[in-house]
Amino acid sequence: MELDFKKLDGLVPAVIQDAASGEVLMLGFMNTEAYAATQASGEVTFFSRSRNKLWRKGEQSGHVLRVREIRVDCDVDSLLIRVDAVGPGVCHEGYRSCFFRQLSPKVTAERTFDPSAVYGKDAHS
Amino acid sequence: MELDFKKLDGLVPAVIQDAASGEVLMLGFMNTEAYAATQASGEVTFFSRSRNKLWRKGEQSGHVLRVREIRVDCDVDSLLIRVDAVGPGVCHEGYRSCFFRQLSPKVTAERTFDPSAVYGKDAHS
């Protein structure tokens, strides 16, 4: 089974999931070399788009990602890699997961009338 | 907080995770319109790269993805969307998750000698 690297100019996204907890830890990209290095070493290796080179996750921090299982999706253009995450956290900002922020709805308009005056204090319609 | 759509020519990857089980169900891409539609409707809407248009997941199958929570990663260029998945499965091939295949190591070389003759039957070195 050949991974489809063509859809994204030579890259496939790789979702990294903690094999024990199921937590999604991060998302990175792999080119063919990064994917081969991941398979050969058993440690997740990405292609860094900002630095334009291979990046073995944890090469600086020691927080490596040991591959437990690699899954591929129906279109063969995305990877799900279940790992044992070594160390206290994956994110360079000091969190266990890079997805440490929730996007909450933000009010972007100004109120034009007082709803409690129209609908009463506890009304929802 | 502005999502960074520039790194991937107007797209961000969105990992879809079952909010109840933690299972990773699929990965899709969103442009600004798909992201806005997802927020407005509360149902996951992707940008289909193959069809070059917005694609509300489940518009044909009824297997929609109801947004429970949207998280963003440290670089603000990837989304993790935790959902209630309506219906028996997400994948168009009939599986609960699009990641239904495991990649196993495949032997690509020919054996050049009989290891048991050299190392004995149970040796591992």
Side-chain angles (χ1 to χ4, degrees), chain B residues 22-38:
Chain B
E23 187 176 10
V24 175
L25 299 175
M26 64 180 296
L27 183 143
F29 289 88
M30 293 184 180
N31 58 7
T32 53
E33 291 76 21
Y35 180 61
T38 298

Side-chain angles (χ1 to χ4, degrees), chain B:
Chain B
M1 179 178 297
E2 289 289 317
L3 284 177
D4 184 353
F5 286 95
K6 289 191 295 276
K7 276 190 187 161
L8 221 56
D9 289 334
L11 300 175
V12 294
V15 181
I16 308 300
Q17 184 180 34
D18 188 297
S21 70
E23 187 176 10
V24 175
L25 299 175
M26 64 180 296
L27 183 143
F29 289 88
M30 293 184 180
N31 58 7
T32 53
E33 291 76 21
Y35 180 61
T38 298
Q39 287 193 305
S41 69
E43 292 183 353
V44 172
T45 304
F46 296 114
F47 176 76
S48 168
R49 296 176 294 166
S50 51
R51 289 176 285 159
N52 199 38
K53 63 170 194 167
L54 290 194
W55 160 45
R56 187 171 61 83
K57 174 64 187 152
E59 62 191 8
Q60 194 173 352
S61 63
H63 303 157
V64 299
L65 302 170
R66 295 207 177 114
V67 176
R68 286 275 297 273
E69 184 190 2
I70 300 181
R71 294 196 200 162
V72 65
D73 77 343
C74 47
D75 293 336
V76 203
D77 58 10
S78 300
L79 295 172
L80 171 62
I81 305 186
R82 293 168 59 85
V83 303
D84 291 327
V86 174
V90 157
C91 183
H92 73 293
E93 295 199 28
Y95 296 89
R96 174 146 189 85
S97 163
C98 292
F99 293 99
F100 58 87
R101 277 181 299 217
Q102 187 181 43
L103 290 175
S104 303
K106 192 176 86 177
V107 175
T108 58
E110 278 186 47
R111 264 210 171 113
T112 55
F113 69 100
D114 175 4
S116 70
V118 176
Y119 300 109
K121 271 227 157 76
D122 302 319
H124 289 283
S125 59

Side-chain angles (χ1 to χ4, degrees), chain A residues 18 23 25 57 61-65 84-98:
Chain A
D18 189 298
E23 187 175 11
L25 299 175
K57 174 66 188 150
S61 64
H63 303 158
V64 299
L65 302 170
D84 291 329
V86 174
V90 157
C91 184
H92 73 293
E93 295 199 27
Y95 296 89
R96 174 144 190 84
S97 163
C98 293

Side-chain angles (χ1 to χ4, degrees), chain A residues 2-123:
Chain A
E2 289 290 317
L3 285 177
D4 185 353
F5 287 95
K6 290 190 295 274
K7 276 190 187 159
L8 221 57
D9 289 334
L11 300 174
V12 294
V15 181
I16 308 300
Q17 183 180 35
D18 189 298
S21 70
E23 187 175 11
V24 175
L25 299 175
M26 65 180 298
L27 183 143
F29 290 89
M30 293 184 180
N31 58 7
T32 54
E33 291 75 19
Y35 180 62
T38 297
Q39 287 194 305
S41 69
E43 293 183 353
V44 172
T45 304
F46 296 114
F47 177 76
S48 168
R49 296 176 293 168
S50 52
R51 288 176 287 158
N52 199 38
K53 63 171 194 167
L54 290 194
W55 160 45
R56 187 171 61 83
K57 174 66 188 150
E59 62 191 11
Q60 194 174 351
S61 64
H63 303 158
V64 299
L65 302 170
R66 295 207 177 115
V67 176
R68 286 275 297 273
E69 185 190 359
I70 300 181
R71 293 195 202 164
V72 64
D73 77 344
C74 47
D75 292 337
V76 203
D77 58 10
S78 301
L79 296 172
L80 171 63
I81 305 186
R82 293 169 59 85
V83 303
D84 291 329
V86 174
V90 157
C91 184
H92 73 293
E93 295 199 27
Y95 296 89
R96 174 144 190 84
S97 163
C98 293
F99 293 99
F100 59 86
R101 278 182 297 218
Q102 187 180 42
L103 291 176
S104 302
K106 194 175 85 176
V107 175
T108 57
E110 278 186 48
R111 264 213 170 110
T112 55
F113 69 100
D114 176 3
S116 70
V118 177
Y119 299 108
K121 269 228 158 77
D122 300 319

